[in-house]
Amino acid sequence: MTSGQHNDNLPGKKEKREPASRPDHSLPEDEKMGVYHAIYTRRDIRREFLPDPIPMETVLRLLKAAHHAPSVGFMQPWNFILIEKDEIRRELKRVVDKERQAAAIVFESPRSEKFLSLKVDAILDAPLLIAVTIDPAREGPFVLGRLSDQDTDLYSASCAIMNLWLAARAEGIGMGWVTIFRREDVQGILNLPYHVRPIGILCLGYVREFPRRPMLETEDWAYRQPLSKHVFVDGWNRQEGTLWESMSPGLDRREEWPWEL
Amino acid sequence: MTSGQHNDNLPGKKEKREPASRPDHSLPEDEKMGVYHAIYTRRDIRREFLPDPIPMETVLRLLKAAHHAPSVGFMQPWNFILIEKDEIRRELKRVVDKERQAAAIVFESPRSEKFLSLKVDAILDAPLLIAVTIDPAREGPFVLGRLSDQDTDLYSASCAIMNLWLAARAEGIGMGWVTIFRREDVQGILNLPYHVRPIGILCLGYVREFPRRPMLETEDWAYRQPLSKHVFVDGWNRQEGTLWESMSPGLDRREEWPWEL
């Protein structure tokens, strides 16, 4: 906090609107909108990837964005395993399909048929396939924060995936995060040490379009809930008091952005 | 995929550089840079928040950004409990301090003293305090994806927190994600149902500056590792083949962005 350097002294048309007393560290207006634009229009893409390869410089930007995620105790628990061999891709598709069949049985009809109709051809079709793993032993047994919560590696790796996802959206690249597999199956295929856990297979590629609505909505599987159901004040289920009164009228109000649905 | 509508037909100086055959869904250049700018300059802020309140419209934008995170099976497992009462804030600070003392003992000297010097005054000082919880029972027992991996609610809630964090950075607001507490303590203070789990206390507020480097680096606790240690191809620890040869020279190369360190 002593350097006196600013991070955001970039060229850009900044609308200054803060009183002089407080430094304004907000990003220039266009850049700020870019963050919301990426957040609101990011989609989980599972099919219809275009075959165009992603340029290597873009792949590197995505990986670096992921690596700049926060991690509890700075443990950086993630690894990114890019899949090059078609044989490994087919093996991953096979174990995902196996798990889909198993899940469909548990869902029972008619949810079961609906579930099986949600294809994950992306694993074969996406030009870029990345398995993300976490190594809970990284940085030794006593990682700051991990003593109190054994799942902090999951939080951190999820943040890395989210960074990658938003960067991909900014680059016009669609992504799907596939979690339907047995850990042991993927461990076997990728030769992971026993303690290293795969948490996702990311499918990436250019797309003809980014659907306006999430796929699970258009497929009538589930819907975005009103935000007001998810916000409380001072305790579970508590929706009262001054803060609540001032906040609640805005929770389900749309922003003026054309991206929001 | 049939709507024919585009999400990103916003005004903006777009540098067209794609061949006509493929639609270009990348964000306008300034917006795209905004995503990377936020990712690279986001910091975990633990202290020295300014007392200025965050305007309600900004608070709402942050919560909505979080709520637009992906969630496995669209389960939206998160709740955001904003803390208004000072008494609850002090209780949260108390149980975090208790856990810090316990962790310090486990770390042992000299790591222990170093750990205790990393203060979390933010819980008292941050103008906005949000506890984030996950409800694993949301949407019933059979959630898509959750059958194969019981931790998908953690992934999804972490993504929501990451969205919120990047939106906060875009708004010039610092944030710290505190995970050092006993689940049972926070459950008691916030009156959470037994199955609802708190995964973080978020401290938010304006800051005098965003430090250039992560706090744990300036405090000599841990350092960002080279990305090349974290990337493999086709299997664990495998760094060979055509893809690796083309990728590896760039992994540890800096982008030209002034934000990267």
Side-chain angles (χ1 to χ4, degrees):
Chain A
M1 308 289 266
T2 57
S3 75
Q5 290 170 293
H6 287 242
N7 295 312
D8 39 10
N9 47 359
L10 294 175
K13 312 148 308 284
K14 181 102 149 198
E15 296 172 16
K16 284 282 174 198
R17 33 171 188 54
E18 304 294 339
S21 61
R22 195 180 74 211
D24 178 5
H25 292 291
S26 64
L27 302 191
E29 203 61 21
D30 285 357
E31 295 193 11
K32 186 162 94 176
M33 281 306 108
V35 172
Y36 287 111
H37 193 172
I39 285 173
Y40 276 81
T41 61
R42 178 209 54 78
R43 290 287 171 268
D44 193 44
I45 308 280
R46 299 292 175 123
R47 54 192 182 191
E48 299 187 37
F49 283 101
L50 298 172
D52 313 53
I54 303 174
M56 181 52 71
E57 64 178 55
T58 308
V59 174
L60 289 169
R61 277 201 297 270
L62 301 184
L63 291 172
K64 289 174 189 177
H67 191 50
H68 276 76
S71 63
V72 176
F74 221 166
M75 72 175 106
Q76 305 160 69
W78 44 70
N79 282 88
F80 307 99
I81 306 182
L82 281 67
I83 309 304
E84 183 174 24
K85 292 182 182 154
D86 282 343
E87 157 202 344
I88 291 185
R89 193 184 277 261
R90 283 193 302 268
E91 279 293 285
L92 291 173
K93 178 69 161 63
R94 185 180 64 77
V95 299
V96 168
D97 276 338
K98 184 180 74 165
E99 184 62 14
R100 276 162 42 78
Q101 298 290 340
I105 292 169
V106 179
F107 274 125
E108 295 182 3
S109 189
R111 201 78 167 152
S112 169
E113 288 76 19
K114 172 68 97 179
F115 174 73
L116 282 174
S117 77
L118 306 172
K119 299 242 181 289
V120 269
D121 296 335
I123 292 182
L124 292 184
D125 298 343
L128 178 62
L129 205 64
I130 306 177
V132 179
T133 65
I134 47 172
D135 179 353
R138 185 141 317 153
E139 300 297 300
F142 294 153
V143 170
L144 188 160
R146 198 171 161 75
L147 291 166
S148 312
D149 185 338
Q150 287 295 311
D151 289 325
T152 51
D153 48 1
L154 296 180
Y155 308 159
S156 305
S158 300
C159 286
I161 292 174
M162 192 70 238
N163 267 8
L164 198 159
W165 214 334
L166 293 174
R169 178 63 193 86
E171 302 277 2
I173 292 168
M175 179 178 129
W177 177 356
V178 174
T179 52
I180 299 181
F181 53 77
R182 291 276 136 188
R183 180 193 308 201
E184 299 78 4
D185 282 337
V186 173
Q187 284 178 316
I189 295 168
L190 297 178
N191 201 22
L192 305 180
Y194 184 75
H195 69 287
V196 169
R197 173 173 167 191
I199 65 162
I201 301 172
L202 310 183
C203 308
L204 291 129
Y206 295 101
V207 289
R208 190 144 313 277
E209 44 188 347
F210 281 88
R212 292 276 287 172
R213 292 183 177 277
M215 186 259 281
L216 291 181
E217 281 197 356
T218 49
E219 298 282 357
D220 246 348
W221 182 274
Y223 298 88
R224 194 182 309 283
Q225 296 161 14
L227 176 57
S228 55
K229 279 181 61 180
H230 296 256
V231 176
F232 302 137
V233 175
D234 282 338
W236 187 256
N237 230 358
R238 187 174 180 280
Q239 298 191 317
E240 58 187 67
T242 312
L243 178 57
W244 176 255
E245 298 306 326
S246 70
M247 179 170 55
S248 60
L251 284 172
D252 296 330
R253 196 164 52 211
R254 288 181 47 166
E255 303 292 331
E256 306 103 81
W257 302 322
W259 332 303
E260 187 174 0
L261 285 176
Chain B
M1 308 288 265
T2 58
S3 76
Q5 289 170 296
H6 287 243
N7 294 311
D8 37 12
N9 47 359
L10 294 174
K13 312 149 305 290
K14 182 104 149 196
E15 297 173 17
K16 285 281 171 196
R17 32 172 188 54
E18 303 295 339
S21 61
R22 196 180 73 211
D24 178 6
H25 291 293
S26 64
L27 302 191
E29 203 61 21
D30 285 357
E31 295 193 12
K32 186 162 95 176
M33 281 305 109
V35 173
Y36 288 111
H37 193 171
I39 285 173
Y40 277 80
T41 61
R42 178 210 52 78
R43 290 287 171 267
D44 193 44
I45 307 280
R46 299 293 176 123
R47 54 192 183 193
E48 298 188 37
F49 283 101
L50 298 172
D52 312 55
I54 302 175
M56 182 52 69
E57 64 178 55
T58 308
V59 174
L60 289 169
R61 277 201 297 271
L62 301 184
L63 291 173
K64 289 174 189 177
H67 190 50
H68 275 77
S71 62
V72 175
F74 220 166
M75 73 174 108
Q76 305 160 69
W78 43 70
N79 282 87
F80 307 99
I81 306 181
L82 281 66
I83 308 305
E84 183 174 26
K85 291 182 182 154
D86 282 344
E87 158 201 342
I88 291 185
R89 194 185 276 262
R90 283 192 301 268
E91 280 292 285
L92 291 173
K93 177 69 160 63
R94 185 180 63 77
V95 300
V96 168
D97 276 339
K98 185 180 74 167
E99 185 62 16
R100 278 162 39 79
Q101 297 290 340
I105 292 169
V106 179
F107 275 125
E108 296 182 3
S109 190
R111 201 77 167 153
S112 170
E113 289 75 18
K114 171 68 96 177
F115 172 73
L116 282 174
S117 77
L118 306 171
K119 297 242 181 288
V120 268
D121 296 335
I123 291 182
L124 292 184
D125 298 343
L128 178 62
L129 205 64
I130 306 177
V132 179
T133 65
I134 48 171
D135 180 353
R138 185 138 316 152
E139 300 297 300
F142 295 153
V143 170
L144 189 162
R146 199 172 162 73
L147 291 165
S148 312
D149 185 338
Q150 287 295 311
D151 289 326
T152 51
D153 49 0
L154 296 180
Y155 307 160
S156 304
S158 300
C159 286
I161 293 173
M162 193 69 237
N163 267 8
L164 198 159
W165 213 335
L166 293 174
R169 178 62 194 86
E171 302 277 2
I173 292 168
M175 180 178 128
W177 178 354
V178 175
T179 52
I180 298 180
F181 52 78
R182 292 274 136 189
R183 179 194 309 201
E184 300 78 4
D185 282 336
V186 172
Q187 283 178 316
I189 295 169
L190 297 178
N191 202 23
L192 304 181
Y194 184 74
H195 69 288
V196 169
R197 172 173 167 190
I199 64 162
I201 301 172
L202 310 183
C203 307
L204 291 129
Y206 295 101
V207 289
R208 190 144 313 278
E209 43 188 348
F210 281 87
R212 291 278 286 175
R213 292 183 178 277
M215 185 259 282
L216 291 180
E217 279 197 359
T218 49
E219 296 284 356
D220 246 347
W221 182 275
Y223 298 88
R224 194 181 309 282
Q225 296 162 13
L227 176 56
S228 56
K229 278 181 61 179
H230 296 256
V231 176
F232 302 136
V233 175
D234 282 337
W236 187 257
N237 229 357
R238 186 173 181 280
Q239 297 191 317
E240 59 187 68
T242 312
L243 179 57
W244 176 256
E245 298 307 326
S246 70
M247 179 170 57
S248 61
L251 285 171
D252 296 330
R253 195 162 54 209
R254 287 182 48 166
E255 303 291 331
E256 307 103 80
W257 302 322
W259 331 303
E260 188 174 359
L261 284 176

